[in-house]
Amino acid sequence: MKPWTKRVVWALAVMALFSTLAPARQREPNSVYAERRAQLAAAVDGPVVLFGYTGNEDSSPSYVFAQEHNFYYLTGHNEEGAVLLLLPGRHNGGSPPAGPREFLYLPQRTDNFTRRERWDGPRLAAGDAGATEKLGVAMTAPFPELKAKVEELAKSYTNFYTLLPGQNERGYPHAANWLKWLKEAAPGANFREVRPLIAKLRMVKSPGELELITRATELSMDAHLEAWRMIRPGVWEYEVAARMRYIYQRGGCERDAYAPIVGTGFNSTVLHYNKVDAQIQDGDLVLMDVGCEFSGYATDITRTVPASGKFTPRQREIYEIVLAAADAAIAAVKPGARMAGQGEGTLTRIAQGVINSRGKDKQGNSLGRYFIHGLGHHIGLNVHDATEPGRALEPGMVFTIEPGIYIPEEKLGVRVEDMILVTETGAKVLTARLPRTPDEIEKFMAEARKAGGRR
Ligand code: GLY
Ligand code: MN
Ligand code: MN
């Protein structure tokens, strides 16, 4: 076995063991975050200033704090109000001066901070015993000292790397707020976008990340199987969604990776259908696109099953075309292959070719017009994870393959979405244990009914 494959096999074996033993929320070892910071520092010619979330980003009562993903990727620190400062590996073309090259700025332990802990639970503050060792950084310091440090660095460096606001910034303006703060501290500096440099690293998963993605995937597959046990005409979409959430949250998933999609009949054709308030009808297909996050890492899985337990001939025909498109794309996965872009050999073109060459709609048109979204996306801390556009596949990348055909006038939508790990030689389908073919699905549903199903 190649060393990389060995590492993954080992990691997955350990995962199987620790999934029953370990506490729910896990971090990778400090050395992993330190290595990521070193790689980023080696790629820049000026300081990186990366602001974690403050906890004020969302005021809804159901909000649970979850860290800014780039900050989490580099620190594993899931608490409010921290800032990472990295000094570049290169220093005026030579070796950098002695002294710490990375700093984690933490909130100060003020009276207000201590009062907040009575509401929100214990938090790490600058100066707390063992904080630096616990976080595995060279140095921790109180947040109010950051400004003077940036002012001082602005005398030696022109370029600073941070999160820049852009069209990706929706909702609370985290990047815009902190860029304003930085510009006040370093008015003459050039501020450069750090996201692509971190995306480059995030695209290839560590063994620890693979463990967590696998854990999320295993629990979400359990949730899908449980849904199939209860699906029958008369059951409500929200009952199915609730049962699925129960299964993965009981297993330690801390939240949905995205709002569960459980769509019956026409709703199966609505890509991001999340109202889940309809009653399943006899003869419908039920599309379930449901997945959780485990210790910050997402999974994303779709299956489509018949409400009655039996596909109609038309449903089976469309389903088999989608499945053939998925299988053809999965068969083409290997290092060097491309998801999308120019050329005939991309995974997207392969899937589109299958869908366009088989079957017709009621007017005799080919079915490509009903495949209206991308073939898939990288996945990790985010369900639609950080991606360098156009980069070829490499071992350790994880992404979805999710072709679909949605024909609203037939109230018929089918998507099959699998989680794919790129290996040295091809693909490992992380969702392989979840039945995919119509025969397998019918068999599972028939056996579940025989056993009494679920309510
Ligand atoms: N569940 C969102 C997606 O499939 O991309
Ligand atoms: Mn997806
Ligand atoms: Mn999905």
Side-chain angles (χ1 to χ4, degrees), residues 289 300 377 383-384 400 402 417:
D289 183 348
D300 186 3
H377 48 86
V383 64
H384 294 165
T400 66
E402 50 177 305
E417 178 171 27

Side-chain angles (χ1 to χ4, degrees), residues 319-341:
Y319 190 104
E320 282 177 343
I321 295 168
V322 173
L323 191 61
D327 285 345
I330 292 169
V333 172
K334 60 176 188 214
R338 286 176 201 279
M339 284 275 276

Side-chain angles (χ1 to χ4, degrees), residues 353-364:
V354 172
I355 289 175
N356 261 319
S357 63
R358 301 192 195 178
K360 297 277 183 247
D361 69 8
K362 297 287 188 210
Q363 291 74 45

Side-chain angles (χ1 to χ4, degrees), residues 258 261 272 288-291 299-302 377 383-384 400 402 415 417:
Y258 49 91
I261 297 165
H272 282 175
M288 285 157 286
D289 183 348
V290 182
T299 192
D300 186 3
I301 306 171
T302 310
H377 48 86
V383 64
H384 294 165
T400 66
E402 50 177 305
R415 177 160 68 254
E417 178 171 27

Side-chain angles (χ1 to χ4, degrees), residues 149-417:
K149 185 76 180 172
V150 171
E151 285 166 359
E152 177 202 320
L153 291 169
K155 295 179 190 144
S156 319
Y157 295 100
T158 340
N159 293 333
F160 279 69
Y161 292 79
T162 192
L163 302 175
L164 296 185
Q167 56 204 28
N168 288 338
E169 182 146 82
R170 296 195 295 190
Y172 185 85
H174 174 73
N177 286 354
W178 288 110
L179 182 63
K180 186 163 168 275
W181 186 96
L182 276 174
K183 282 182 170 170
E184 279 167 23
N190 293 326
F191 292 99
R192 297 186 181 270
E193 179 59 89
V194 75
R195 283 186 183 86
L197 301 171
I198 306 176
K200 195 183 180 71
L201 305 176
R202 280 175 61 181
M203 285 183 79
V204 177
K205 270 55 186 180
S206 66
E209 289 180 296
L210 291 174
E211 284 175 17
L212 300 176
I213 290 171
T214 303
R215 191 78 188 115
T217 303
E218 289 294 326
L219 287 163
S220 299
M221 287 193 288
D222 291 345
H224 277 259
L225 291 173
E226 188 68 5
W228 302 3
R229 292 187 182 104
M230 71 184 287
I231 283 179
R232 64 179 64 82
V235 170
W236 294 82
E237 293 166 343
Y238 55 76
E239 291 183 80
V240 177
R243 185 82 190 170
M244 294 179 85
R245 281 179 152 147
Y246 166 71
I247 296 294
Y248 57 60
Q249 292 190 344
R250 181 188 66 170
C253 284
E254 66 275 9
R255 63 177 186 173
D256 307 322
Y258 49 91
I261 297 165
V262 178
T264 185
F266 174 82
N267 298 338
S268 65
T269 70
V270 179
L271 298 186
H272 282 175
Y273 173 76
N274 54 25
K275 257 171 67 186
V276 295
D277 66 351
Q279 197 171 24
I280 293 169
Q281 306 295 322
D282 200 11
D284 279 0
L285 282 182
V286 184
L287 184 152
M288 285 157 286
D289 183 348
V290 182
C292 69
E293 269 185 31
F294 188 89
S295 293
Y297 282 85
T299 192
D300 186 3
I301 306 171
T302 310
R303 290 291 187 266
T304 310
V305 306
S308 68
K310 272 263 181 225
F311 290 88
T312 66
R314 178 61 169 167
Q315 289 168 349
R316 183 178 270 262
E317 180 197 1
I318 298 297
Y319 190 104
E320 282 177 343
I321 295 168
V322 173
L323 191 61
D327 285 345
I330 292 169
V333 172
K334 60 176 188 214
R338 286 176 201 279
M339 284 275 276
Q342 303 298 316
E344 285 308 306
T346 66
L347 305 187
T348 299
R349 282 295 177 87
I350 290 168
Q352 283 169 339
V354 172
I355 289 175
N356 261 319
S357 63
R358 301 192 195 178
K360 297 277 183 247
D361 69 8
K362 297 287 188 210
Q363 291 74 45
N365 300 306
S366 59
L367 295 172
R369 68 181 61 199
Y370 300 99
F371 176 23
I372 51 176
H373 54 72
L375 180 67
H377 48 86
H378 288 260
I379 182 161
L381 284 167
N382 202 334
V383 64
H384 294 165
D385 212 29
T387 303
E388 269 184 301
R391 179 161 162 195
L393 299 180
E394 292 170 32
M397 289 182 173
V398 181
F399 63 99
T400 66
I401 288 189
E402 50 177 305
I405 294 176
Y406 314 93
I407 313 177
E409 53 275 26
E410 295 187 43
K411 300 192 174 99
L412 194 170
V414 175
R415 177 160 68 254
V416 178
E417 178 171 27

